[in-house]
Every structure is written in C-alpha cells, then in structure tokens.
Amino acid sequence: MSEAPKTDHAYDGIEEYDNPLPGWWKWLFIASIVFSPFYWVYYHNGAKGRSVEDQYGVALAENTRLQFAEIGDLKLDGPTIAKFMAKESWVKVGESVFRANCVSCHGREGEGKVGPNLTDEAYKNVAVLGDIGKVINNGAGNGAMPKWSNRLHINEIVLVSAYVANLRGQNVEGGRPAEGREIPPWPEPVVEEEPAADEEAKS
Ligand code: HEC
C-alpha cells in the first residue's frame, strides 16, 4: 500500500493515495447512463401496455378471464344477477369493472354525476332486477348511457350488474337527487348451498 502513488493534495499533513476506480467499474457506470434514456423511452414514454403497471393490469384481466372458465358464460337475466349479488368475491370483480368504466359518470360510490344516482331507491330505466343488466348491455337515454355489450365480457356485465344492484339503498351522502320512480325491492338474495365435495366431482 505504501508503494501506491499519492495525489498532490495535502491538508494539514494528511495525504491521499491515488487509487482510481477500476476501468471496468467506470465503464459499467457510463454504460448504465447511456442505457437509461432508452429504457425510459421504452417503458415510460413508449407505446401503451409496456409499463409494469400496464402489464399488471393486463395480467389481472387475463386472470379474471381465466376464472370465468370456472363459471362459464353467464346468462344476463334477473335470477343470475340475484345469484351473484350474494357472492362476495365475484361482486368484487364487478366492483373493479365499475371503477374502471363507470365512475366518470356515476361517481366513485355510485352517487351519480352525469348519470343517475345508483344508491337510492328510484330508477329511470329499471323496473325489475334484470333491467339493470339490460340497461348496461344496451345503453339508455339515446346513448347518454353507453351500451357495453361490445366492450365488456358478458360475465363482466352480469357481475357489474350485481355490484350496482347491491349499491341500492346505500344512499351515499351528497348524491344526485332521485330520478325516475321508486320500484319494488329486489327479490330475496339466493343463497346457494355449496355442493358436497363428491357431488362436485361428478358434475
Ligand atoms: C358517459 C356517461 C356514462 C357512463 C360511462 C356510464 N353511464 Fe350509466 N348512465 C348514464 C346516464 C346519462 C344514464 C341515464 C340514462 C337516461 O337518462 O335514461 C345512465 C343510466 C344507468 C343505469 C340505469 C339507472 C336508472 O335510473 O335507470 C344503470 C344501472 C347504469 N347507468 C349503470 C352503468 C354502469 C354499470 C356503467 C359502467 C359499465 C355505466 N353506467 C357507465 C351515463 C353513463
């Protein structure tokens, strides 16, 4: 060590050995700086779908679709919506559909903005539970409420219907005033018995 050359600095008699960083380290440092703008452009400023966040969203949606294999293609009608209203984990999928597509017009909690309040007891286009699915599928108000049949999977429409049906009666504070007319309550929720394990294996 004592053979190593010294720099010219001397402060109060304290001297400094001249130990430069190894060449490979310096080049690695420079290479990573040169690499970074390309990385940034590709992942953060490039085409949609490349960022880690976008990829996560895609993976999540794919996973949801995979789970759809479990339930098959659902029928969009009152009894099916009623059945899924009671299944918490599926209602959560409906909630994520709502958060991604509906809050801009119906508000974060369904309290209504451009679109009507979904948390009161009054509806404009809905008389029975199945109508919720129909309105979402086909749209309403001459397109003021867009149709979702070509943008969402049929199961997503059923599940978001179940979520919206569950919003009824929550009367979120500061919501839009009630529109339309008050309708009779939804049918009693259908609570299914879980099939016994051996029964499930047969079906
Ligand atoms: C561009 C704004 C907009 C978006 C986005 C939107 N809606 Fe609507 N929605 C409306 C409007 C406006 C109405 C009322 C139509 C009318 O006046 O007949 C409505 C009506 C409804 C109704 C019937 C309410 C009633 O009182 O009859 C339901 C249910 C509904 N929307 C659910 C949804 C769901 C679920 C989504 C997301 C998948 C969604 N909406 C997205 C604007 C929107």
Side-chain angles (χ1 to χ4, degrees):
M1 253 332 232
S2 56
E3 301 306 313
K6 293 188 181 145
T7 62
D8 313 335
H9 318 140
Y11 301 99
D12 295 338
I14 300 170
E15 290 173 288
E16 192 184 350
Y17 283 118
D18 186 11
N19 281 331
L21 288 166
W24 63 265
W25 197 100
K26 258 196 257 182
W27 282 112
L28 208 62
F29 182 58
I30 290 165
S32 64
I33 292 174
V34 171
F35 175 72
S36 64
F38 293 101
Y39 178 93
W40 188 83
V41 166
Y42 186 87
Y43 282 107
H44 299 282
N45 205 26
K48 226 175 175 319
R50 279 190 195 147
S51 75
V52 173
E53 195 185 349
D54 288 349
Q55 286 171 12
Y56 174 75
V58 169
L60 199 68
E62 268 170 17
N63 187 46
T64 307
R65 293 259 195 290
L66 277 185
Q67 289 180 49
F68 283 169
E70 241 178 70
I71 51 178
D73 277 4
L74 299 173
K75 263 173 60 186
L76 185 58
D77 57 16
T80 314
I81 295 170
K83 193 170 98 185
F84 279 90
M85 281 171 75
K87 295 179 189 267
E88 205 181 318
S89 61
W90 288 112
V91 171
K92 282 223 159 66
V93 176
E95 179 176 357
S96 76
V97 173
F98 188 86
R99 294 233 181 285
N101 300 292
C102 321
V103 291
S104 54
C105 294
H106 289 285
R108 224 187 130 64
E109 311 294 330
E111 72 277 16
K113 275 185 175 170
V114 184
N117 191 334
L118 299 172
T119 69
D120 56 21
E121 298 285 343
Y123 292 86
K124 289 170 92 174
N125 306 280
V126 177
V128 293
L129 187 53
D131 293 345
I132 296 230
K134 279 189 203 147
V135 171
I136 297 169
N137 199 55
N138 307 332
N142 284 324
M145 162 67 186
K147 65 182 246 188
W148 294 89
S149 55
N150 48 8
R151 286 198 256 176
L152 294 175
H153 188 279
I154 182 78
N155 292 0
E156 290 177 311
I157 296 183
V158 171
L159 297 173
V160 77
S161 299
Y163 174 72
V164 166
N166 279 338
L167 291 178
R168 179 178 181 181
Q170 294 189 359
N171 294 308
V172 173
E173 250 179 71
R176 237 175 107 101
E179 289 158 276
R181 66 213 173 308
E182 214 169 288
I183 60 171
W186 304 139
E188 285 295 309
V190 187
V191 181
E192 275 185 346
E193 299 268 329
E194 289 294 325
D198 57 329
E199 226 177 291
E200 201 162 20
K202 264 185 274 161
S203 61

